[in-house]
Amino acid sequence: MRSSRIAYDVTVGRWPPNARERLESAALDLFVENGYEETTVAQIADRAGMNRATFFRHFADKREVLFGGEEVLGGLFADAITAAPTAATLSECLQAALAAAAAAMTTQQRAKAAQRVLVLAVNADVQERGLLKHARIAKSVTAALRERGNDELTARLGAEMVMLAFSVAFERWMSAKDDEPFTPYAEAALSDLQTRAADLVLPSRLSA
Amino acid sequence: MRSSRIAYDVTVGRWPPNARERLESAALDLFVENGYEETTVAQIADRAGMNRATFFRHFADKREVLFGGEEVLGGLFADAITAAPTAATLSECLQAALAAAAAAMTTQQRAKAAQRVLVLAVNADVQERGLLKHARIAKSVTAALRERGNDELTARLGAEMVMLAFSVAFERWMSAKDDEPFTPYAEAALSDLQTRAADLVLPSRLSA
């Protein structure tokens, strides 16, 4: 479909997605069709109607094309925490972070995410890269919470809470119907975890 | 020092450590001396007074030699949770897990850990493997908590708490004097995090 790469897409009423998004879509399609290991960067670029040089302007290597969303997510979390009102509690900051994630969790992203889940399930080295991205997002959330004056441990615990709530929300959302919005899943996952966090607090603290 | 491999070690009053431990020590020494990438499995085996085949009986690849302790740690955490009294609360299970970790955190292990920190700091792919191990330990803790009847979310949250408390304790312990025991650091880290977990719980839950 190289000839269509600058065509107006009448089905969604807009110009086709930009180079980065097209490379991601092409890569995911090929990984699912032919296998991650079997797919080359040249094939991805070709499917997207570009050349290898363009691919490497957007992604450092083949694995990175799977994790563009992670960079976006880390930024959304951190920006939302930074932008929260000065008086916002820790809980409110975590809620703001998860609410902001919804911007990246569209129906289109959900379809891509389903492909990624399939690819990650059978490729250990891709899983490892995913964990590295996960760790980096947690660090950026920790930094954003620290900047608000939370101490180091509170910030790290808050970041783990955001990451776990996001994972739980993501899993539930992926199991739901296609057109469900992400936000209610994010809110429910965080609330469910906050309920359970009471069991982590020492009894003397709860009654204080 | 191949000739000394079955010698009685008069300085510590015992036979030298077993093959697995000797391979670990040899690998860490070489990684620190010559660099991780530059060190071959053959060199590690040679330094330990063994051959490559023996290395591969103990470790799947060069990276794995850095993470033998992680397997041990996951087992210690899970076994301690499983062995906790039936009436033990979630907090008591987490305390038991961290207390059990002390068995692996000896002065000898601390010296190895310091070498590992140096190697991991400059090798991204080794960091990725470390995160995979970390994720596996968290899964085994989650499974052990689930088996005690905790629900899925409580178990996952509890596992993240154990992992974070261990990380914090480990960092503090590594910054302390050489001969400090690990247990007080583990207890303090968990307690410090449990205090902060109160901020994660919704206000209505705390006063309930």
Side-chain angles (χ1 to χ4, degrees), chain B residues 4-204:
Chain B
S4 72
R5 75 184 193 252
I6 53 162
Y8 187 82
D9 184 338
V10 291
T11 59
V12 294
R14 56 168 192 190
W15 294 94
N18 65 29
R20 192 178 168 88
E21 284 165 351
R22 280 156 58 202
L23 286 163
E24 284 174 346
S25 293
L28 285 164
D29 287 346
L30 286 165
F31 294 160
V32 171
E33 286 166 27
N34 304 332
Y36 171 79
E37 286 297 342
E38 290 71 15
T39 301
T40 65
V41 166
Q43 289 167 343
I44 296 167
D46 188 59
R47 174 76 67 104
M50 299 174 201
N51 56 39
R52 285 177 83 253
T54 307
F55 180 95
F56 287 116
R57 271 202 296 278
H58 290 279
F59 303 101
D61 60 32
K62 190 172 77 171
R63 281 200 286 181
E64 286 296 311
V65 75
L66 284 162
F67 298 109
E70 266 66 12
E71 311 284 333
V72 173
L73 199 57
L76 289 170
F77 284 158
D79 290 349
I81 290 167
T82 303
T86 312
T89 63
L90 180 61
S91 275
E92 285 163 351
C93 288
L94 306 191
Q95 285 161 2
L98 286 158
M105 310 307 281
T106 59
T107 304
Q108 191 192 9
Q109 288 302 320
R110 191 176 183 280
K112 283 194 191 178
Q115 290 180 304
R116 283 186 49 209
V117 168
L118 290 175
V119 176
L120 264 72
V122 293
N123 289 284
D125 69 330
V126 179
Q127 285 169 33
E128 292 186 10
R129 182 68 61 95
L131 291 167
L132 190 67
K133 297 290 179 183
H134 182 101
R136 283 195 189 142
I137 299 175
K139 280 209 167 144
S140 74
V141 174
T142 301
L145 289 171
R146 286 283 283 138
E147 274 166 32
R148 295 185 64 89
N150 293 291
D151 72 18
E152 174 72 16
L153 259 55
T154 302
R156 288 169 71 170
L157 190 60
E160 292 299 337
M161 194 75 164
V162 168
M163 300 308 288
L164 184 53
F166 180 80
S167 294
V168 170
F170 179 77
E171 291 161 22
R172 291 174 176 175
W173 181 61
M174 292 299 290
S175 307
K177 278 182 298 176
D178 271 358
D179 54 353
E180 296 259 8
F182 183 73
T183 305
Y185 289 90
E187 287 172 358
L190 181 61
S191 169
D192 289 352
L193 285 166
Q194 288 188 294
T195 302
R196 284 157 181 85
D199 293 336
L200 294 175
V201 183
L202 296 172
S204 60

Side-chain angles (χ1 to χ4, degrees), chain A residues 63 90-91 94-95 124-125 127-129 131-133 135-136 151 153-154 156-158 160-161 164 167-168 171-172 189 191-203 205-208, chain B residues 63 90-91 94-95 124-125 127-129 131-133 135-136 151 153-154 156-158 160-161 164 167-168 171-172 189 191-203 205-208:
Chain A
R63 280 199 286 182
L90 179 61
S91 275
L94 307 192
Q95 284 160 2
D125 69 330
Q127 286 170 31
E128 292 186 10
R129 181 68 62 95
L131 291 166
L132 190 66
K133 297 290 179 182
R136 283 194 188 142
D151 71 19
L153 259 54
T154 301
R156 286 170 71 171
L157 190 59
E160 292 299 337
M161 194 75 164
L164 185 53
S167 294
V168 170
E171 291 160 21
R172 292 175 175 176
S191 170
D192 288 353
L193 285 167
Q194 288 187 294
T195 302
R196 283 156 181 86
D199 292 336
L200 294 175
V201 184
L202 296 172
R205 302 282 170 182
L206 272 175
S207 56
Chain B
R63 281 200 286 181
L90 180 61
S91 275
L94 306 191
Q95 285 161 2
D125 69 330
Q127 285 169 33
E128 292 186 10
R129 182 68 61 95
L131 291 167
L132 190 67
K133 297 290 179 183
R136 283 195 189 142
D151 72 18
L153 259 55
T154 302
R156 288 169 71 170
L157 190 60
E160 292 299 337
M161 194 75 164
L164 184 53
S167 294
V168 170
E171 291 161 22
R172 291 174 176 175
S191 169
D192 289 352
L193 285 166
Q194 288 188 294
T195 302
R196 284 157 181 85
D199 293 336
L200 294 175
V201 183
L202 296 172
R205 302 281 171 184
L206 272 174
S207 56

